[in-house]
Amino acid sequence: MLTSQRHALILDRLRRDGQIVATALAGELGLSEDTIRRDLRELAGAGKLQRVHGGALPVAPPLPDLGARKEIAKATKQALALRAVERIATGQLVFLDGGSTNEALARALPRDLRITIATHSPTIAAALSGHDAEVILIGGRLYKHSMVATGSAALAAIETMRFDLFFLGATALHPAHGATTGDFEEAAIKRAIVRQSAQTFILAAGDKLGAVSPHRILPLADLTGLVVPADIEDTTLSLYREAGLEILPA
């Protein structure tokens, strides 16, 4: 089998099964594990998959900047946002992570809801300008791709607060590898917020499930639950439920 044929087969299996186990695929094809591992390295180098111990997983596609993301799947984001709002109660201190889905959540909040929102996203703070909610805007070095503050100043402010709820933004979520994102510094800020939060939820469209990005935020055990589109199949969600996550269909 030619290299190009093996690569095509690997990518097809990855789409079909959601993972590649190098030992099993080598045995099936009658090839050495070294050959399969070399193929996986080459495909990972081309950005086609994510290498993990023993094989490979789908890679979350690179995200466009925040402005472009706002135009993608607006109806789905609105549905997720409205479902998430149901978990927020008067008097809480809630942290909203950056991102277009959490911005939809900010806009979906009832304007007269008496809560305090903390965020390191200036765009989310601006979206709340017409609400009765108190807004704490955390500053620091601006990561322009996601429009959120990062760095030591942001960490210092986060560590002075305790949040009732954290709505975490992640680019990918996998049963074995947890929540991941594309930037090392942003992942560190997200972990710090999780440590200060009583409950952590992710609003996750279906394309985020079963994929992996380069930088780990947290394992599933550190999450409280997921808000997901109602049409996602139970077979996809079963491993998340088995990990103890609360699943909120929108």
Side-chain angles (χ1 to χ4, degrees):
M1 184 181 293
L2 297 174
T3 300
S4 59
Q5 293 174 314
R6 291 198 309 273
H7 286 189
L9 184 147
I10 288 169
L11 293 175
D12 182 63
R13 291 294 178 84
L14 192 58
R15 284 188 291 269
R16 188 190 74 183
D17 301 336
Q19 65 177 354
I20 295 292
V21 179
T23 302
L25 185 61
E28 178 186 337
L29 299 180
L31 299 169
S32 70
E33 278 192 54
D34 285 343
T35 297
I36 297 300
R37 293 183 191 280
R38 184 173 63 251
D39 288 338
L40 296 180
R41 285 196 299 272
E42 291 172 357
L43 288 167
K48 300 292 183 65
L49 51 77
Q50 179 76 32
R51 288 279 286 120
V52 297
H53 181 71
L57 293 168
V59 63
L63 286 179
D65 64 25
L66 183 61
R69 296 204 303 274
K70 289 180 183 180
E71 302 304 315
I72 299 172
K74 282 186 175 181
T76 297
K77 292 172 184 176
Q78 182 68 15
L80 296 176
L82 290 171
R83 187 71 168 95
V85 166
E86 297 174 10
R87 296 306 298 251
I88 300 173
T90 300
Q92 288 183 324
L93 173 55
V94 178
F95 198 105
L96 290 186
D97 202 350
S100 57
T101 306
N102 280 343
E103 186 174 337
L105 171 54
R107 296 185 185 282
L109 288 169
R111 288 181 174 267
D112 60 352
L113 183 60
R114 299 282 184 168
I115 58 172
T116 300
I117 298 289
T119 185
H120 59 333
S121 166
T123 57
I124 285 179
L128 292 165
S129 61
H131 289 66
D132 290 343
E134 292 290 333
V135 179
I136 300 172
L137 177 57
I138 291 170
R141 175 182 174 271
L142 185 64
Y143 176 46
K144 295 179 182 178
H145 183 271
S146 296
M147 288 299 291
V148 293
T150 60
S152 59
L155 282 172
I158 288 163
E159 289 170 354
T160 66
M161 290 178 273
R162 287 290 299 170
F163 310 108
D164 296 296
L165 279 173
F166 173 33
F167 289 99
L168 166 66
T171 58
L173 186 67
H174 190 275
H177 299 276
T180 51
T181 193
D183 182 77
F184 177 79
E185 296 291 343
E186 192 178 12
I189 291 288
K190 293 174 189 288
R191 284 193 297 273
I193 304 166
V194 171
R195 289 194 296 269
Q196 301 299 110
S197 301
Q199 294 188 318
T200 300
F201 283 85
I202 293 178
L203 280 62
D207 59 352
K208 293 186 178 182
L209 301 179
V212 178
S213 288
H215 301 289
R216 193 182 199 197
I217 304 168
L218 48 72
L220 289 191
D222 290 344
L223 280 173
T224 305
L226 306 177
V227 185
V228 298
D231 60 358
I232 294 182
E233 296 180 358
D234 282 342
T235 52
T236 300
L237 297 172
S238 60
L239 291 176
Y240 300 96
R241 285 198 177 93
E242 289 171 12
L245 297 190
E246 183 178 356
I247 305 297
L248 305 178

